[in-house]
Amino acid sequence: MRKLREQAMISFAKVAEYQRRGVVHFHAVIRLEGPDGPTSPPPAWATVDVLADAVRHAASAVAVTVPAAGDEPARVLRWGAQLDVRRIAMGGDLTEQAVAGYIAKYATKAAECTGTLDRRINPLDDLDALPLREHARRLIAACLRLGALEELADLRLVQWAHMLGFRGHFSTKSRRYSTTLGDLRAARADHMRDEQISTGRLPLFEEDTVLVIAHWEYAGQGYSAGDALLAATLTGNPVPDPRGIHE
């Protein structure tokens, strides 16, 4: 890994998409860059085909062993066979615009599409009384049962049963892939603070800012026509003169 960093850097952004059957699909954009990140070109050997081969190899080689727990035997979990590696290019079937559209779609697609809930489930809840699809109900029941095992407590399956056991973020990325969410939030705050708001509201200031109003204009006295009618309705008195208050 140290020698690789001297020649190239791998950047990625991925999103998680729930399938109706409760399985999570990951969609990832993976990029090979130079050692200084996106500002430097990758070496000549870092071709699209090399990257695609590396992705296929990683998907087949990576595995995690789940230890035995209770009556459950130890299991080895691997990536499934559904692996689709495609090149992103300005032309062709998969363009940058298409990828952006996919990410926007997945950002609004949560676990509710599988028939589960949008809130956490209490272990004391009656699953039969909740508005769940039968398939999701069985998956949630499995999370509650496995989460009660001491050996699997660190997985927090009970707390994330409403997400069918998945407690990851819908979107993650490497630091150098693009701008950070913190920078985006700061940019929005700066924009709102600096923008001249013309809807009668004051612009946003820093918390310790003291706003001094040194200019006043005379707007008139007495009731407006609407205020006069409202005052008469509430008090039962004759409609006040809108130009002023008279005895």
Side-chain angles (χ1 to χ4, degrees):
M1 291 300 297
R2 183 182 60 82
K3 292 181 179 179
L4 176 62
R5 286 194 293 267
E6 294 174 356
Q7 299 190 45
M9 180 176 294
I10 300 176
S11 296
F12 74 92
K14 67 178 177 66
V15 292
E17 178 199 9
Y18 273 91
Q19 306 293 298
R20 287 178 62 86
R21 53 185 168 151
V23 176
V24 175
H25 275 189
F26 283 106
H27 303 262
V29 178
I30 306 175
R31 195 171 64 202
L32 267 178
E33 302 164 343
D36 297 327
T39 59
S40 59
W45 58 262
T47 63
V48 174
D49 293 335
V50 168
L51 179 58
D53 289 341
V55 171
R56 295 187 183 95
H57 172 73
S60 63
V62 172
V64 59
T65 300
V66 179
D71 297 333
E72 299 293 333
R75 290 182 171 87
V76 178
L77 304 181
R78 300 181 183 275
W79 290 106
Q82 294 180 330
L83 178 64
D84 182 16
V85 181
R86 288 189 283 172
R87 177 178 181 174
I88 301 174
M90 294 298 293
D93 296 334
L94 191 59
T95 63
E96 294 177 342
Q97 291 79 6
V99 171
Y102 290 144
I103 293 177
K105 170 188 173 183
Y106 304 144
T108 59
K109 186 178 180 182
E112 298 92 277
C113 69
T114 67
T116 183
L117 302 178
D118 60 354
R119 63 169 178 84
R120 289 192 171 181
I121 296 176
N122 191 299
L124 300 179
D125 286 341
D126 182 4
L127 294 184
D128 293 332
L130 297 177
L132 301 167
R133 290 181 185 158
E134 187 57 32
H135 181 58
R137 197 187 316 274
R138 292 197 301 269
L139 293 175
I140 291 172
C143 288
L144 297 178
R145 178 176 62 85
L146 295 174
L149 300 177
E150 182 179 354
E151 298 88 342
L152 303 179
D154 291 341
L155 298 180
R156 302 179 64 194
L157 294 173
V158 174
Q159 293 88 335
W160 294 95
H162 66 297
M163 298 291 287
L164 311 182
F166 176 70
R167 58 188 178 97
H169 293 284
F170 93 93
S171 175
T172 54
K173 68 177 185 65
S174 54
R175 180 174 295 274
R176 292 196 179 187
Y177 180 84
S178 65
T179 185
T180 64
L181 295 178
D183 289 341
L184 292 176
R185 285 191 291 267
R188 284 195 294 269
D190 292 341
H191 173 74
M192 293 299 297
R193 184 182 303 111
D194 298 337
E195 184 183 36
Q196 295 296 325
I197 301 176
S198 58
T199 58
R201 297 177 297 171
L202 291 175
L204 299 177
F205 296 98
E206 298 290 347
E207 293 184 359
D208 57 350
T209 298
V210 178
L211 181 63
V212 178
I213 300 177
H215 178 72
W216 294 87
E217 291 184 0
Y218 177 75
Q221 70 178 35
Y223 293 105
S224 66
D227 291 339
L229 182 60
L230 180 61
T233 302
L234 294 175
T235 62
N237 296 326
V239 177
D241 188 340
R243 296 168 296 177
I245 301 177
H246 304 280
E247 295 293 339

